[in-house]
Amino acid sequence: MFDRGNAGTNGAISGRSVLLTVLACMAGTTFAAAPAHAAVEAEATEAEAGNGDILVTARRREEAVQDVPLAISVLDSRAIEATGTFNVAKLTQIQPSLQFYSTNPRNSAANIRGLGAPFGLTNDGIEQGVGIYVDQVYYSRIASATFDFIDVDRIEVLRGPQGTLYGKNTTAGAINITTRAPSFSPEGRAEISIGNLGFVQAKASLSGPLVEDRLALRLAGSATRRRGTIFNVATGNHVNEQDNLGLRGQLLFRATDSLDLTLAGDFNRQNPECCAQIYVHTGATQRPLSRQFAALAAAFGYAPPSTNAFDRLTDLDVDLRAKQEIGGVSLRAEWDLGPGTLTSVSAWRFWDWDPSNDRDFTGLPITTVSANPSSQRQWTQEFRYAATGEHIDYVAGLFAFHQTLHTSGAQEQGVAASRWLLNPTSANAHNPAVLNGLRSENDIDFKNTSLAAFGQLIWHVTDRLRVQPGFRVNYDRKTGSYVATVTTGSGSTTLNNDQRGVLAPQSYRSRFSDWNLSGDLTLSYDVSDDVLAYATYARSFKSGGINLSGLPLDAGSNPILSAGSVKPEKVNHYEIGLKTQFFDRRATLNLSGFWTEINDYQATVTNGQLGVLRGYLANADKVRVRGIEADFAARPTDRINVYFNGAFTDHEYVKFTDAPCPPELAGGSASPANCDISGQWLPGISRWAFSYGGEYALPAKLLGVDGKAYAGVDGSYRSRFSSNPSRSAYTNVGGYALANFRIGFRTEGGWDLFGWVRNAFDRNYYELLATQSGNTGLIVGQPGDPRTYGATLRATF
């Protein structure tokens, strides 16, 4: 059982039966990587065996991390702070198997090994394939991943399906975030960072007892501001800025020697002027030349402020807003009962989203309003019992989830829309009044209920051989309605064909319900004291969904109701791994090979209509992702630490015969309605990705104070990837390498002062590329951050 006398550091069981693994200590910075595919009750202890191994109680007994056959990469708070990893997007630079793409907080996706969420605009009717958990609470909105980490103790990235203990939302893996727990010993932390671009970030936390040995409180806060990286010549403002505020509080009540109750609450707000995608280049489509970007822009006498995206200029003429608020409360009970621990986690969360976007990506009044404010509420309840026996360890539990979502969206066309969107042969193409003021008001409702029972067992067949089966049975019910009311500029609901082709009135209801069974089996064998081999098979699924962004239209401009829902994804996953230590356990090398196949893969597609700005969902027949990962860490001396993490990922649509065509094959009267992209790349996945780093520290004095001077580097590389659901020559993002440096001085008393530079060589790169609606050939993109630099002062007391 876990030690309740040390609850300030490790008294809470890791989130939703998550394994905490800590692997290489880097001069006060810990990086870890260990292969795994299922998770069981775990907590870490920083006690060391005589040989220096870091120990974990991953399966309810103390054991070295290298003895645990579970795939996970872990960063503790020191690694997070040293590398400036203050959100999930930054985490990708030191975790090569993790990808994160975002055009705004709502339209974000976290993928592991390239899987998790379809590439494109978020559709609320489906769920992510990478689960995000904070203190054992499931966060259903991927927008939560865009917030700054608050008072984080560790972050765990689990690679591969985790459906047995994490649920249907983890077909690709899970990101588990654990914050620091309330302490019965008074403690505090404070940090301030300043940098170029007006960057200011402040963090603080305080913890201590309210009633000795019975009641402890922890409070934490974080605030970040930074000027935008793109200048809007139309407004005189810098856009794509940062403006984040986060607050968190926890109250730990030690009701008895065997029962802990933790009440937690948090509130997070973002309100930046964001998010702009800007001109990158143009490419020829099948549209007539007179209807492609160059000719259309010339007809209006329009030119973008720069044709070099890294001039970081735009002229967007619609107000940009990405305001969101996320928060909630949870109550966790942990009760030592019989041979194990009974855990209950109850939580309520909210998400409010208030956006404004310029969806034509130009300074022309084509689409003058594009906003879909949403309000979501979710309730979750989990009961879990974990026990350890002489030959059998097990975890069993129940989980319930309910979500409601309401969106009141709007889209309105401007005075330039007729000429830009309508066929020149139409009599209305040169009449601005036809589309000017054409407006769609969207009313969207969604309800999602999920119930599950799960269990996992570890059988110690011999001292060296272990068998670990697991299962999860899940029931889902989803209902949704979509109503789009379209009016002309004069307020009429009577539309002509050109108007219906741009903004079509729709009204439909969709429903989905299904039972599913997930399971996995892991075999592990201790080849020697320093070598562990394991093999895993997992059968998992991602719940089916319903389309909540409007449906494609038939020849009569009526919604195709058969596209109202998508089938569940069915996942077959195989993995083998080897975990080794050598050089007197000063070095660790972990290798894993994986093969994942998904039938009925949920993809985002678009239809050929000119005015369609949103994609809808469809099932690709089959996709495959396979690869090899390596994680190496070494501490050759007490002063030097190094690490290297690498991944090779082969990926393709095995069969997708009715996919959307890439822009170079779309838009013409003879263009195919769909294309066979079987054998092509999946979007968002680099074949090669790696990260590396190291730190050198030596004893020193600063102003007469003893401490350590240190210098560190962290680098990453990602090879080329496709940025379109159907691979296009126009939207391939070139590979790029980034390097970050830091140099500083830290004391044993808790002071740390260091300077840092990120993207030190000012590498120009794109986070993603996208196409303009209507196949005009315009390609827009999101440039990555330029070189940034600054200093951080941190104190622990």
Side-chain angles (χ1 to χ4, degrees), residues 698-758:
L698 72 164
K701 282 189 176 184
L702 180 65
L703 302 178
V705 178
D706 290 329
K708 287 185 178 181
Y710 62 91
V713 59
D714 299 287
S716 63
Y717 170 77
R718 293 185 183 273
S719 64
R720 181 176 55 171
F721 64 88
S722 169
S723 189
N724 197 64
S726 297
R727 189 180 179 191
S728 166
Y730 304 151
T731 55
N732 282 331
V733 175
Y736 58 89
L738 303 176
N740 308 323
F741 300 99
R742 62 186 182 276
I743 184 169
F745 180 83
R746 66 170 70 98
T747 71
E748 295 298 330
W751 289 93
D752 191 0
L753 174 64
F754 63 98
W756 46 264
V757 56
R758 294 164 189 152

Side-chain angles (χ1 to χ4, degrees), residues 146-148 222-225 242-246 269-272:
T146 65
F147 279 104
D148 295 348
S222 172
T224 303
R225 292 293 302 270
Q242 295 177 4
D243 182 6
N244 302 343
L245 173 68
R269 177 195 57 78
Q270 284 182 337
N271 192 22

Side-chain angles (χ1 to χ4, degrees), residues 313-501:
L313 299 175
T314 190
D315 61 348
L316 300 184
D317 59 342
V318 174
D319 290 338
L320 298 180
R321 186 172 63 254
K323 182 179 180 181
Q324 63 169 340
E325 294 180 346
I326 293 179
V329 294
S330 66
L331 177 63
R332 183 174 69 249
E334 295 165 311
W335 184 17
D336 288 350
L337 186 65
T341 298
L342 177 65
T343 301
S344 169
V345 184
S346 310
W348 171 84
R349 298 201 59 76
F350 71 89
W351 174 67
D352 292 322
W353 168 240
D354 183 17
S356 177
N357 306 293
D358 193 330
R359 296 304 300 172
D360 59 52
F361 311 115
T362 72
L364 291 171
I366 302 169
T367 299
T368 56
V369 175
S370 179
N372 285 272
S374 297
S375 179
Q376 183 222 273
R377 304 294 181 264
Q378 73 167 63
W379 297 260
T380 56
Q381 174 63 55
E382 181 174 8
F383 296 105
R384 183 178 67 246
Y385 186 74
T388 299
E390 184 176 354
H391 298 289
I392 299 291
D393 308 332
Y394 65 89
V395 179
L398 301 170
F399 179 73
F401 168 81
H402 182 68
Q403 173 192 38
T404 62
L405 178 73
H406 179 74
T407 300
S408 299
Q411 180 179 319
E412 186 171 320
Q413 305 305 126
V415 68
S418 293
R419 184 147 189 180
W420 198 274
L421 298 177
L422 299 182
N423 194 314
T425 60
S426 169
N428 295 317
H430 296 279
N431 182 359
V434 173
L435 294 185
N436 187 30
L438 185 72
R439 184 178 178 90
S440 177
E441 297 279 355
N442 306 325
D443 190 79
I444 306 168
D445 282 293
F446 178 60
K447 291 183 179 180
N448 180 9
T449 298
S450 182
L451 304 172
F454 59 90
Q456 189 175 80
L457 177 147
I458 303 172
W459 175 29
H460 302 264
V461 182
T462 71
D463 290 342
R464 291 184 177 271
L465 177 64
R466 291 163 296 277
V467 179
Q468 180 178 290
F471 79 95
R472 188 182 190 99
V473 60
N474 200 92
Y475 172 72
D476 284 292
R477 185 180 69 232
K478 300 177 181 181
T479 59
S481 66
Y482 182 94
V483 178
T485 303
V486 181
T487 57
T488 66
S490 63
S492 173
T493 56
T494 301
L495 309 178
N496 59 43
N497 287 337
D498 283 337
Q499 292 166 332
R500 290 175 62 88

Side-chain angles (χ1 to χ4, degrees), residues 143 158 409:
L158 284 77

Side-chain angles (χ1 to χ4, degrees), residues 225-230 237-244 271-275:
R225 292 293 302 270
R226 194 186 76 177
R227 195 190 73 197
T229 57
I230 295 173
N237 296 336
H238 286 88
V239 299
N240 292 11
E241 62 183 4
Q242 295 177 4
D243 182 6
N244 302 343
N271 192 22
E273 188 170 352
C274 187
C275 300

Side-chain angles (χ1 to χ4, degrees), residues 666-677:
S669 58
S671 294
N674 48 58
C675 287
D676 184 350
I677 62 171

